[in-house]
């Protein structure tokens, strides 16, 4: 907490020339989506089916990422420098991770824009760190996916035959054409140059996806719903992309043996996978609903999803036979005879097996049922509880991004043109895929959070302003923090503690 004893220096002890006291990552991403949908309906008489829908969806998405990063060096050969007075922003409260003394806070972007640091464009400068420049190339990519999805759906209505059953049955066939332009780098040679080439790699395939939805009307305003479907979720574009490289490393402790008297080498690879298939699941849902004279309802649902395909990172052994060896470096010569070509490959792949199941409970309760003086008041509440499991690399884990509990509650007043709502959402902690300082996604624990939102609006229903509506809303009113900490560690091992503040919006609308 003392600006005179806390310095900008080389915290990672990277060494190798000027003191590296910072890092700048600034990727440029463009994302373009085009879509069109064509559909036709035809009424059907005298059948259990009363309507036929046929159609086709076409979507084309292109996403490109240009990676830029730079190491920030202290000027003049200094080993450590105090933060200049003009860029000191006071002491930050750090009691949230057990430090009662606080920590110095400074304007890093202000320092950068002032020229405080010496920067090197690691992609363009041949004297830059080789690892940084390699990351720039292998994290620069373009992915295009084209999805053509014809579908057919029949609406079911058995009311005319005395059976209170409605629903629909259908099937769609999603044809995917995916292509990635990625950089495949060769191992580092005698120079500091990044060598390799951009390559187009892709795949084509079709998934057939049937679905069935049924609703059975019961006495006393109750409904029983059931659904079954085969579903898919597309891979992330960065999972389809990301360049790759490999290296050749002498390792005398290797369990593999090479020719007598020769060192043993290991090969490593990495990157996205342009051949990835989507997440796939066979899903089943059942729900029960009770309505109260069209003034409210309660519902409970259970669901089960059997994962037939999911996406994860895998480390596997492969044979690198045929891959070029690097150019000889001083003191280390490579020949085709002396390299053991069995090595490790890290890549994103499809796994099989796993499940998600859970329960959802929802209630919409207008309070006027308790007394006329409560007309316009009401509450909405929902709770979801789930359990998930997949076994990538033989380990049982929960699916990233899923909280085991999510609870929402809303209190509202809607009458005489007024609409007032206050909502709170609780989300339990979960394993999240969050960008690190290089913008690469990594798995870490995200702490649970409570978020409070509110809004107030008024619709003019008569007079010269009839049709005019005004709405003021605020989100994250309590400024809930986003807290990220090490996977498997205690909550004090914090990586990020960020507050974004409340956000307000004013909307004005007019209905003719």
């Amino acid at each position: 907490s003392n600006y005179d004893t806390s310095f900008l220096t080389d915290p990672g002890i990277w060494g190798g020339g000027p003191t590296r006291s910072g890092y700048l990552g600034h990727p440029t991403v463009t994302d373009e989506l085009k879509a069109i949908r064509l559909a036709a309906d035809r009424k059907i008489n005298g059948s259990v089916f009363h309507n036929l829908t046929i159609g086709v969806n076409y979507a084309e998405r292109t996403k490109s990422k240009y990676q830029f990063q730079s190491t920030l060096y202290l000027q003049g050969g200094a080993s450590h420098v105090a933060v200049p007075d003009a860029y000191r922003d006071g002491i930050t409260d750090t009691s949230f991770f057990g430090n009662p003394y606080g920590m110095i806070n400074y304007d890093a972007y202000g320092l950068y824009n002032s020229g405080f640091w010496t920067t090197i464009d690691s992609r363009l400068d041949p004297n830059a760190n080789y690892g940084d420049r390699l990351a720039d190339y292998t994290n620069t990519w373009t992915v295009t996916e084209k999805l053509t999805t014809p579908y057919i759906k029949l609406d079911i209505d058995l009311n005319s035959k005395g059976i209170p059953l409605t629903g629909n049955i259908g099937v769609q066939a999603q044809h995917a054409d995916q292509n990635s332009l990625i950089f495949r780098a060769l191992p580092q040679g005698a120079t500091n140059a990044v060598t390799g080439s951009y390559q187009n790699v892709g795949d084509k395939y079709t998934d057939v996806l049937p679905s069935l939805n049924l609703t059975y009307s019961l006495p006393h305003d109750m409904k029983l719903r059931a659904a079954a479907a085969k579903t898919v979720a597309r891979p992330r574009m960065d999972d389809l992309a990301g360049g790759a490289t490999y290296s050749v490393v002498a390792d005398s402790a290797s369990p593999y043996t090479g020719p007598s008297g020769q060192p043993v080498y290991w090969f490593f690879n990495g990157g996205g996978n342009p051949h990835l298939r989507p997440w796939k699941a066979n899903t089943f849902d059942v729900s029960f609903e009770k309505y109260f004279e069209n003034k409210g309802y309660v519902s409970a649902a259970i669901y089960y999803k059997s994962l037939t395909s999911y996406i994860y990172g895998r480390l596997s052994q492969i044979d690198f036979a045929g891959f070029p060896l690097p150019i000889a470096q001083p003191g280390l010569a490579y020949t085709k005879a002396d390299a053991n070509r069995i090595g490790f490959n890290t890549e994103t792949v499809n796994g099989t097996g796993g499940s998600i199941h859970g329960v959802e409970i929802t209630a919409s309760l207008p309070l006027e049922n308790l007394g006329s003086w409560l007309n316009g008041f009401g509450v909405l509440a929902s709770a979801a509880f789930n359990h998930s499991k997949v076994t990538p690399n033989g380990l049982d884990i929960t699916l990233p991004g899923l909280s085991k509990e999510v609870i929402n509650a809303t209190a509202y007043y809607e009458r005489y043109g007024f609409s007032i709502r206050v909502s709170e959402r609780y989300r339990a902690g979960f394993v999240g895929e969050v960008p690190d300082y290089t913008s690469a996604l990594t798995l870490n624990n995200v702490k649970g959070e409570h978020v409070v939102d509110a809004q107030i609006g008024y619709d003019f229903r008569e007079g010269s302003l009839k049709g005019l509506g005004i709405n003021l809303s605020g989100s994250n009113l309590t400024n809930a923090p986003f807290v990220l900490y090490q996977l498997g560690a205690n909550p004090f091992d914090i990586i990020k503690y960020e507050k974004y503040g409340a956000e307000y919006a004013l909307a004005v609308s007019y209905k003719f």
Side-chain angles (χ1 to χ4, degrees):
S1 59
N2 189 337
Y3 280 97
D4 296 324
T5 57
S6 298
F7 302 102
L8 300 175
T9 182
D10 182 352
I13 317 177
W14 294 324
T19 301
R20 308 183 195 182
S21 69
Y23 168 87
L24 175 69
H26 186 196
T28 300
V29 178
T30 59
D31 200 350
E32 182 179 272
L33 178 65
K34 305 172 185 176
I36 187 172
R37 176 177 180 175
L38 301 174
D41 288 306
R42 182 177 180 85
K43 300 295 182 183
I44 302 174
N45 297 318
S47 171
V48 296
F49 303 109
H50 72 93
N51 191 72
L52 169 68
T53 303
I54 59 173
V56 61
N57 296 331
Y58 177 79
E60 181 177 326
R61 182 181 181 188
T62 300
K63 185 171 185 177
S64 300
K65 177 183 177 182
Y66 177 84
Q67 177 72 14
F68 168 81
Q69 58 186 354
S70 175
T71 303
L72 305 178
Y73 296 97
L74 293 180
Q75 295 183 353
S79 62
H80 61 280
V81 175
V83 176
D85 290 343
Y87 302 98
R88 298 182 180 185
D89 283 343
I91 306 302
T92 295
D93 180 6
T94 55
S95 59
F96 60 85
F97 68 87
N99 173 16
Y101 304 106
M103 181 181 294
I104 67 169
N105 180 27
Y106 63 95
D107 179 5
Y109 278 113
L111 281 176
Y112 172 75
N113 292 327
S114 73
F116 175 84
W117 281 292
T118 298
T119 63
I120 294 178
D121 185 335
S122 56
R123 186 180 179 88
L124 302 178
D125 193 319
N127 296 315
N129 177 270
Y130 175 81
D132 286 348
R133 294 197 300 118
L134 179 64
D136 281 350
Y137 277 95
T138 55
N139 285 294
T140 295
W141 45 261
T142 298
V143 174
T144 300
E145 65 175 18
K146 301 175 183 179
L147 304 177
T148 305
T149 310
Y151 63 89
I152 182 171
K153 178 171 71 79
L154 285 164
D155 293 330
I156 302 169
D157 189 351
L158 292 177
N159 283 311
S160 61
K161 299 185 180 297
I163 303 174
L165 182 68
T166 58
N168 58 65
I169 185 171
V171 63
Q172 56 182 336
Q174 186 178 91
H175 176 73
D177 181 356
Q178 59 197 41
N179 182 273
S180 301
L181 178 64
I182 57 180
F183 189 82
R184 294 287 175 85
L186 295 173
Q188 183 179 9
T191 68
N192 200 31
V194 176
T195 58
S197 62
Y198 282 97
Q199 301 178 13
N200 271 304
V201 186
D203 202 357
K204 297 179 181 180
Y205 53 88
T206 300
D207 291 307
V208 179
L209 310 170
S211 67
L212 172 67
N213 298 278
L214 296 174
T215 301
Y216 191 84
S217 297
L218 299 169
H220 309 295
D221 294 322
M222 295 184 292
K223 293 182 182 294
L224 182 66
R225 301 181 189 271
K230 181 175 288 187
T231 61
V232 297
R234 294 291 304 159
R236 290 199 313 261
M237 301 294 268
D238 57 300
D239 281 338
L240 296 172
T245 185
Y246 62 95
S247 59
V248 185
V249 183
D251 186 359
S252 59
S254 168
Y256 302 103
T257 57
S260 177
Q262 299 290 343
V264 177
Y265 297 96
W266 292 56
F267 289 69
F268 300 85
N269 194 16
N273 183 358
H275 299 283
L276 267 185
R277 301 297 175 93
W279 292 70
K280 299 180 185 179
N282 297 320
T283 68
F284 307 92
D285 300 78
V286 176
S287 68
F288 172 81
E289 301 168 2
K290 165 62 179 176
Y291 294 86
F292 303 104
E293 298 179 351
N294 297 321
K295 295 181 179 180
Y297 71 92
V298 293
S299 70
I302 59 174
Y303 62 88
Y304 178 80
K305 303 177 187 294
S306 173
L307 296 176
T308 57
S309 174
Y310 59 89
I311 296 172
Y312 74 103
R314 181 181 67 185
L315 179 67
S316 59
Q317 293 181 9
I318 64 170
D319 187 350
F320 282 82
F323 282 66
L325 287 166
I327 301 172
Q329 300 181 56
L332 183 60
Y334 297 94
T335 68
K336 290 184 178 181
D338 68 4
N340 168 36
R341 294 307 182 98
I342 300 298
F344 285 111
N345 180 45
T346 58
E347 62 178 344
T348 306
V349 297
N350 289 106
T352 58
S355 64
I356 308 171
H357 58 271
V359 177
E360 297 175 343
I361 303 170
T362 305
S364 173
L365 303 174
L367 298 184
E368 63 189 70
N369 295 330
L370 302 178
S372 59
W373 61 279
L374 289 174
N375 284 355
F377 289 95
V379 293
L380 302 169
S382 66
F385 308 92
N386 79 82
H387 176 78
S388 64
K389 184 180 77 170
V390 291
T391 55
N393 301 312
L395 299 174
D396 289 345
I397 65 169
T398 59
L399 281 173
L402 283 182
S403 295
K404 289 186 177 181
E405 301 98 25
V406 178
I407 301 173
N408 296 276
T410 298
Y412 66 86
Y413 174 78
E414 292 184 347
R415 199 177 185 193
Y416 304 122
F418 286 98
S419 177
I420 304 172
R421 291 180 174 236
V422 179
S423 303
E424 181 177 9
R425 184 198 73 208
Y426 165 72
R427 179 178 185 180
F430 61 98
V431 176
E433 291 182 293
V434 182
D436 64 11
Y437 72 97
T438 69
S439 76
L441 288 173
T442 56
L443 291 178
N444 287 291
N445 284 327
V446 180
K447 191 176 181 179
E449 63 180 7
H450 290 265
V451 177
V452 177
D453 305 327
Q455 67 177 36
I456 180 170
Y458 183 76
D459 290 329
F460 292 88
R461 298 181 175 180
E462 57 186 12
S464 60
L465 295 179
K466 183 179 180 180
L468 179 67
I470 301 176
N471 183 276
L472 174 65
S473 63
S475 59
N476 192 25
L477 296 179
T478 57
N479 196 14
F482 173 81
V483 182
L484 187 72
Y485 57 98
Q486 295 281 2
L487 191 65
N490 71 69
F492 282 162
D493 292 334
I494 289 177
I495 300 172
K496 288 185 179 182
Y497 184 95
E498 298 176 338
K499 287 190 173 182
Y500 298 94
E503 180 177 297
Y504 300 94
L506 176 66
V508 178
S509 62
Y510 189 84
K511 297 180 181 178
F512 295 93

